[in-house]
């Protein structure tokens, strides 16, 4: 018959904020043998300290304090119980100077619920002092020397996979799993937790583990296997690796996104450092890479590549001065093609009079910007508001003011130029219910002219870092101002696509300098990695 320890019940406040309930001795009228009662005293103290999660204090009542403290510390560290309750039973003499006591341990373990086991403790009189005999099976009957208790994921949590069916190697996309609860904590692991886990609530189970290797050697709980299903993404592992390797060594926060223009499949989304998925969720002024959209609006309005395009050092709008990077100017007789390929801010600012307050918003919609994208993960889908003043419109023409985009959005802009049609990006096809459809189509002639302009930007313009690469790259550079510093700090951008393959991409360096000088070499490394 089990008897509660002691003559009262104590609630012991734990450092972690929980309580350990511990029964001390029961008064059922039964008079305990005097020797057994003496042996019970150190056991009571040992179990009380264990229930209080004080391994050092508990170990002091044993015959092998170092070994007891080491194992108890290992068990408590591995299981992290929020509450421990221990009840003992009736002791029995085992010969002269020996007594044996049964006890029951119940631990509340996050992610595993209430876990209970029964064990026995032998207490011996050594030189006039009663000590609890420490052995591994005393802590749990299934333990042997060199083993400990640990937790493992209950059932089989499925994995996030790449397009080839292998585990996806992209930390910022995959996300993390909480080590205590076993639930997805961020990224795709969090978004698809029910799918990956099979919907299990208690996702951890108790095991015996080897203390040296940490390998589970025996399951201590029978749990139904979780019927988790993998989450399939469109990420191409070769493209993802090329993007990640291109960012290696970057001393600023950076991202690369790659898309298949034919279907919008996201082929790569690399971030450095990991953590925040700036590739898909970041909100930035796009700067001059947005001139692809502005150019489309101007071409729709009758502009041609050969239209004269003055490009002075400065342009002034209601007292606000706009300037070209490093205050360059183009010679007399320059054309719209020259202004685009050399990224002349002042021409685009002065061309604002050709645009209505809604033109940039409407043209951006043909590229899908500002719609609600169903990608299969969290994304920022861009914003191009209706302009509200001359200054607002002037800044918007060069991707400043209230214009914002993510690297995913700008990669999609390049993909739209390549294919001639907006195909909403997709990362997890099985989860997409309805893709966003652009309310208007990009004119075929405009798309053709944009392709020519972006190719010329590589062969004779600001994207010359890609000039000697194979694959006929097309590109646009961007240097986007942000903040209120003097001079202003800048994000570096480059977007583009390959003329000879189905690949569109965007490179962003946060606070990274210039599009041509800084983002260009990163784009060059990315495309060179793919060519190997």
């Amino acid at each position: 018959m089990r008897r509660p320890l002691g003559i009262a019940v104590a609630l012991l406040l734990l450092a972690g904020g929980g309580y350990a309930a511990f029964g001390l001795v029961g008064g059922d009228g039964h008079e305990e043998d005097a020797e057994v009662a003496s042996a019970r005293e150190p056991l009571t103290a040992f179990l009380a300290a264990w229930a209080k999660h004080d391994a050092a204090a508990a170990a002091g009542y044993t015959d092998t304090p170092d070994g007891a403290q080491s194992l108890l510390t290992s068990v408590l560290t591995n299981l992290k119980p929020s509450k421990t309750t221990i009840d003992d039973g009736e002791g029995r003499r085992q010969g002269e100077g020996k007594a044996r006591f049964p006890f029951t341990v119940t631990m509340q373990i996050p992610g595993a619920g209430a876990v209970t086991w029964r064990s026995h403790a032998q207490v011996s009189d050594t030189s006039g002092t009663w000590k609890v005999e420490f052995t591994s099976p005393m802590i749990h009957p299934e333990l042997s020397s060199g083993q400990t208790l640990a937790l493992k994921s209950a059932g089989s949590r499925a994995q996030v996979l790449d397009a080839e069916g292998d585990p996806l190697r992209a930390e910022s996309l995959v996300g993390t799993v909480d080590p205590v609860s076993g639930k997805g904590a961020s990224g795709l692991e969090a978004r698809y937790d029910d799918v990956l886990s099979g919907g299990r609530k208690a996702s951890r189970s108790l095991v015996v583990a080897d203390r040296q290797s940490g390998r589970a050697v025996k399951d201590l709980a029978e749990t139904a296997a979780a019927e988790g299903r993998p989450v399939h993404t469109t990420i191409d592992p070769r493209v993802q690796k090329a993007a990640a390797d291109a960012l290696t060594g970057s001393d600023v926060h950076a991202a690369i996104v790659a898309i298949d223009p034919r279907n919008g499949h996201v082929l790569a989304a690399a971030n450095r450092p990991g953590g925040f998925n700036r590739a898909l969720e970041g909100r930035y002024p796009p700067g001059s890479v947005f001139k692809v959209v502005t150019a489309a609006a101007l071409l729709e309005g009758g502009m041609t590549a050969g239209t004269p395009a003055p490009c002075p050092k400065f342009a002034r709008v209601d007292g606000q001065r706009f300037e070209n990077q490093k205050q360059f100017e183009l010679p007399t007789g320059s054309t719209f093609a020259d202004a685009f390929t050399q990224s002349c801010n002042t021409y685009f600012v002065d061309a604002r009079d050709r645009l209505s307050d809604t033109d940039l918003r409407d043209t951006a919609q043909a590229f899908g910007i500002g719609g609600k994208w169903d990608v299969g993960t969290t994304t920022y889908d861009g914003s191009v508001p209706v302009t509200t003043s001359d200054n607002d419109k002037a800044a918007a023409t060069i991707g400043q003011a209230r214009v914002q985009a993510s690297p995913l959005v700008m990669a999609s802009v390049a993909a739209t130029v390549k294919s001639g049609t907006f195909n909403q990006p997709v990362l997890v096809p099985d989860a997409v219910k309805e893709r966003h459809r652009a309310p208007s189509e990009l004119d075929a002639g405009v798309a053709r002219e944009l392709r020519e302009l972006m190719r010329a930007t590589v062969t004779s313009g600001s994207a010359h870092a890609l000039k000697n690469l194979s694959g006929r790259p097309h590109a646009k550079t961007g240097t986007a101002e942000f903040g209120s510093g003097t001079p202003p700090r800048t994000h570096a951008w480059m977007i583009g696509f390959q003329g000879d393959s189905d690949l569109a991409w965007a490179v962003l360096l946060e606070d990274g300098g210039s599009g041509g000088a800084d983002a260009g070499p990163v784009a060059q490394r990315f495309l060179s990695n793919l060519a190997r």
Side-chain angles (χ1 to χ4, degrees), residues 115-127:
V115 177
T116 300
W117 68 87
R118 296 177 180 176
S119 190
H120 292 82
Q122 184 102 344
V123 184
S124 301
D125 183 354
T126 305
S127 302

Side-chain angles (χ1 to χ4, degrees), residues 245-511:
D245 288 350
L247 296 180
T248 299
S250 173
D251 57 1
V252 298
H253 292 184
I256 295 178
V257 177
I259 295 174
D260 186 331
R262 298 171 300 177
N263 50 28
H265 284 184
V266 180
L267 305 177
N271 294 278
R272 184 176 177 86
F276 176 58
N277 190 359
R278 61 187 53 81
L280 306 187
E281 300 179 49
R283 302 184 181 197
Y284 308 94
S288 290
V289 289
F290 186 73
K291 288 174 184 171
V292 172
V293 177
T294 306
L298 292 171
L299 291 167
E300 285 272 11
M303 186 81 69
T304 68
T307 299
C311 178
K313 291 181 181 180
F314 308 111
R316 289 176 172 81
V317 181
D318 291 341
Q320 181 180 2
R321 192 179 82 173
F322 294 85
E323 62 184 50
N324 298 320
Q325 189 175 20
K326 297 183 180 180
Q327 298 182 2
F328 76 82
E329 61 183 334
L330 295 181
T332 302
S334 294
T335 64
F336 178 64
D338 298 321
F340 183 93
T341 60
Q342 302 301 327
S343 202
C344 175
N345 290 335
T346 58
Y347 172 75
F348 279 86
V349 166
D350 286 338
R352 71 191 181 281
D353 291 339
R354 293 174 175 262
L355 303 171
S356 73
D357 289 339
T358 61
D359 279 347
L360 289 178
R361 191 270 319 264
D362 295 344
T363 303
Q365 288 179 346
F367 290 87
I369 300 174
K372 186 173 179 57
W373 296 4
D374 185 4
V375 178
T377 191
T378 301
T379 59
Y380 176 65
D381 308 327
S383 176
V384 182
V386 172
T387 56
T388 56
S389 69
D390 213 23
N391 296 76
D392 188 39
K393 188 192 299 185
T397 64
I398 56 174
Q400 298 284 171
R402 295 177 296 141
V403 176
Q404 287 194 313
S406 62
L408 175 67
V409 165
M410 296 316 302
S412 182
V413 166
T416 301
V417 175
K418 162 77 172 179
S419 68
T421 302
F422 170 71
N423 291 305
Q424 185 215 277
V426 171
L427 178 67
V428 185
D430 291 345
V432 174
K433 295 179 180 178
E434 185 176 0
R435 295 193 187 196
H436 173 68
R437 298 186 182 280
S440 60
E441 288 287 328
L442 189 63
D443 179 82
V446 169
R448 182 172 56 254
E449 290 190 75
L450 288 174
R451 288 192 285 270
E452 293 174 357
L453 290 171
M454 291 179 71
R455 178 57 182 161
T457 303
V458 172
T459 58
S460 59
S462 58
H464 56 81
L466 312 183
K467 183 176 181 179
N468 296 322
L469 295 181
S470 61
R472 296 188 68 250
H474 298 58
K476 181 69 189 79
T477 59
T479 304
E481 296 181 357
F482 70 97
S484 56
T486 304
R489 297 159 68 183
T490 57
H491 300 311
W493 287 88
M494 184 177 281
I495 67 172
F497 60 89
Q498 296 299 88
D500 292 349
S501 62
D502 295 307
L503 180 77
W505 45 269
V507 172
L508 166 71
L509 307 182
E510 285 187 22
D511 199 7

Side-chain angles (χ1 to χ4, degrees), residues 49-118:
W50 180 359
K52 193 179 178 181
H53 304 167
D54 190 339
Y61 297 101
T62 71
D63 61 352
T64 316
D66 290 345
Q69 181 176 349
S70 177
L71 180 55
L72 280 171
T73 298
S74 173
V75 168
L76 292 170
T77 299
N78 292 343
L79 304 188
K80 296 180 175 61
S82 59
K83 176 181 177 182
T84 298
T85 304
I86 308 178
D87 294 317
D88 83 338
E90 184 175 354
R92 296 184 181 277
R93 294 183 61 177
Q94 298 290 302
E96 190 67 27
K98 291 183 180 296
R100 179 180 174 88
F101 299 86
F103 62 90
T104 302
V105 179
T106 300
M107 286 185 173
Q108 296 292 336
I109 301 174
V115 177
T116 300
W117 68 87
R118 296 177 180 176

Side-chain angles (χ1 to χ4, degrees), residues 5-37:
L5 281 172
I7 59 174
V9 174
L11 289 178
L12 302 173
L13 179 62
L14 302 182
Y19 287 87
F22 188 79
L24 292 179
V25 169
D28 59 359
H30 177 76
E31 187 174 342
E32 194 168 49
D33 178 276
E35 189 169 72
V36 173

Side-chain angles (χ1 to χ4, degrees), residues 200-213:
R200 292 190 59 84
K201 292 183 178 179
S203 56
R204 313 281 274 176
S205 64
L206 197 65
V207 297
V208 173
D210 181 82
R211 290 190 68 181
Q212 185 171 1
S213 68

